[in-house]
Amino acid sequence: MRSAFALAEVMLGVLIFSIGIIALGRTVSNCVNASALSADDARVREILANRMVEIETTPGQPDKSKEFKVDTGFGVVKVVQKAAPQGMKEEDGTELTGIIRVTLTANWTRGGGAQSKQIAFYVYRL
């Protein structure tokens, strides 16, 4: 009887240990997924920031509509650029010309799901 009780204690201990190991494994898996998402986000932010600097430093009007793909080594990111004149007025009603609103949208897939990030900024061109 005493040995059967010892066996039950050992089995209970192994069960508790197994549950702990499974929970630890799921936690590590979640951390790896979060790290991959963060890396994707950082790559896309860098692509958008680089394109924004190109547009801001290139003389002349930005392209009204443009699409291009960037291979990051971890997948292809499709960047869509839209530019349109922005009708703005001063407080006294004077029309401001030469201000263009540029919107950059990045689209990519992660784990079979579509992801997207967008930035918008203004450039001034005469």
Side-chain angles (χ1 to χ4, degrees), residues 61-79:
Q61 300 293 326
D63 296 327
K64 290 185 191 278
S65 182
K66 185 175 183 180
E67 259 182 47
F68 57 95
K69 294 181 180 178
V70 178
D71 187 3
T72 64
F74 297 95
V76 175
V77 177
K78 179 179 161 188
V79 179

Side-chain angles (χ1 to χ4, degrees), residues 2-110:
R2 201 169 179 102
S3 62
F5 186 68
L7 179 62
E9 286 180 340
V10 169
M11 288 178 62
L12 181 62
V14 169
L15 176 67
I16 292 170
F17 179 75
S18 299
I19 291 171
I21 291 297
I22 290 170
L24 182 64
R26 293 187 103 191
T27 302
V28 169
S29 175
N30 287 343
C31 287
V32 168
N33 286 339
S35 178
L37 287 173
S38 178
D40 279 353
D41 188 61
R43 276 190 289 277
V44 169
R45 284 179 187 264
E46 185 175 352
I47 289 168
L48 291 175
N50 287 344
R51 184 64 189 148
M52 183 174 83
V53 169
E54 285 177 26
I55 292 168
E56 289 176 338
T57 58
T58 302
Q61 300 293 326
D63 296 327
K64 290 185 191 278
S65 182
K66 185 175 183 180
E67 259 182 47
F68 57 95
K69 294 181 180 178
V70 178
D71 187 3
T72 64
F74 297 95
V76 175
V77 177
K78 179 179 161 188
V79 179
V80 179
Q81 172 183 322
K82 302 279 185 191
Q86 191 67 29
M88 295 183 152
K89 293 184 179 183
E90 288 279 353
E91 291 178 9
D92 64 0
T94 306
E95 183 82 24
L96 297 174
T97 59
I99 299 176
I100 302 164
R101 184 173 198 260
V102 180
T103 304
L104 297 174
T105 306
N107 300 303
W108 73 102
T109 58
R110 168 84 173 119

